[in-house]
Amino acid sequence: MTEFNENGVTVRLSVTDWESAAGTLVTTFTPDDAGFHLYSTALPAQGVDGVGRPTQVRPVGAVATAGEMTVDKPVKTIRVPGVRSAVPVYPDGPVTVTLPIRATAAGEAKVLIGYASCSSTEGCTIPVADRAVGLRTGEDGVSFDAP
């Protein structure tokens, strides 16, 4: 397991059920302050009319996606002043994304993390895009690089 905190959100990553070079990447995004939400994984890369950034978990290198991403919270939509369309977000608080992964080779890999958090009363934090978290695959499984 590893974690980091950047721009108002603590991100914790772990790999569970690793067997035969495959497992599940579990990533939990926890806003530091109450009343903050994260945006849907389905949000377009540049947001809706420039508002928001999608919650992203993307493996690259010696690890690849091996199935569908799932999220433990339902998507809801909010209206933002000046934005024509509804914006898809998760309820305030932590959100956990799970993603089946598999090793494509022994060696170095990265998980690229992206997110933005906002509050209807406090505004938004600076978005995080492609924050790399290093990991290694090998005969003994998967290990994260030191933060």
Side-chain angles (χ1 to χ4, degrees):
M1 182 190 78
T2 191
E3 72 177 33
F4 67 90
N5 182 288
E6 189 171 339
N7 297 353
V9 176
T10 297
V11 181
R12 177 175 287 142
L13 297 94
S14 63
V15 175
T16 62
D17 305 321
W18 190 261
E19 187 176 321
S20 301
T24 302
L25 176 64
V26 179
T27 309
T28 300
F29 299 82
T30 304
D32 293 346
D33 297 320
F36 278 77
H37 60 262
L38 292 152
Y39 292 90
S40 168
T41 57
L43 189 74
Q46 297 304 313
V48 174
D49 292 341
V51 172
R53 292 295 178 267
T55 301
Q56 295 183 320
V57 177
R58 188 166 48 98
V60 296
V63 174
T65 299
E68 294 295 316
M69 179 183 293
T70 60
V71 181
D72 72 336
K73 299 288 190 293
V75 173
K76 66 178 191 169
T77 57
I78 61 171
R79 291 284 177 182
V80 177
V83 177
R84 291 174 293 196
S85 301
V87 179
V89 301
Y90 297 112
D92 292 353
V95 173
T96 299
V97 175
T98 57
L99 180 65
I101 59 172
R102 63 180 170 77
T104 57
E108 295 182 18
K110 292 179 183 172
V111 179
L112 300 178
I113 303 294
Y115 59 88
S117 66
C118 284
S119 162
S120 59
T121 58
E122 302 294 320
C124 298
T125 62
I126 297 170
V128 173
D130 293 336
R131 166 63 151 83
V133 176
L135 59 105
R136 299 180 184 283
T137 64
E139 292 179 18
D140 297 332
V142 175
S143 61
F144 289 97
D145 293 347

